[in-house]
Amino acid sequence: VDPRTVNCTDPTTRAALITDEITNISGQSALNDPTSPQSSALEWLIENDPLQINPCDFPTINQRYALAVLFYATNGNDWINNAGWLSGSGECSWF
């Protein structure tokens, strides 16, 4: 996406761009299931990620999403040590 022609920080546009990118990874059916780790990770990325990433200039969006899927798929909230996961820091420092 060319950030000169698209307002990547507009909330509706941002959500659509992130959803399009993530749909290429996980497929629509996984994202349509509100109980799937993929759907939870996408919702977190769009709504709750403290970084509120700009999809037009965040090269590791897929990596951040994949680690969020791992967190939700393995019940990360119940881990003995989940400190730092899904935080506003870079995903490379989550583990």
Side-chain angles (χ1 to χ4, degrees), residues 6-68:
V6 175
N7 180 359
C8 300
T9 59
D10 169 73
T12 302
T13 302
R14 180 181 167 277
L17 290 170
I18 291 172
T19 300
D20 287 348
E21 178 70 22
I22 299 310
T23 300
N24 290 329
I25 298 168
S26 290
Q28 194 64 54
S29 61
L31 298 175
N32 286 344
D33 177 358
T35 65
S36 74
Q38 295 89 342
S39 177
S40 296
L42 175 60
E43 180 180 349
W44 172 81
L45 198 59
I46 293 171
E47 302 293 333
N48 301 312
D49 182 354
L51 284 184
Q52 288 297 291
I53 60 172
N54 178 336
C56 293
D57 67 5
F58 196 82
T60 61
I61 186 172
N62 296 343
Q63 177 174 290
R64 194 167 181 85
Y65 168 74
L67 288 171

